[in-house]
Amino acid sequence: MTLTELLPTIRQLSAIEKRELIRILMEEEDMSDEEVWSDKLEATTDAQWDSLAEIVRQEIAAGDITV
């Protein structure tokens, strides 16, 4: 079902029901983003982490980053 097909039904919802629908949709979106990041982090290899750490060390040594 498309959004266009759902609009007549959504329009019939009360303001409270619409807010609840928005809350649920936003929660789902947050979960999707969180799952994407979690998947990306889990897929990062030790070699990639080591490479990133080396880049950060070099930037700290060059004074580009302070800790």
Side-chain angles (χ1 to χ4, degrees), residues 27-64:
E27 219 172 70
E28 287 295 319
E29 182 64 27
D30 287 345
M31 287 302 293
S32 294
D33 288 345
E34 193 171 309
E35 289 170 7
V36 168
W37 277 108
S38 179
D39 291 345
K40 286 182 180 185
L41 288 173
E42 288 176 17
T44 304
T45 65
D46 287 343
Q48 290 170 316
W49 286 120
D50 291 343
S51 176
L52 180 60
E54 182 56 31
I55 291 168
V56 171
R57 282 188 206 96
Q58 290 173 4
E59 290 182 359
I60 291 170
D64 296 334

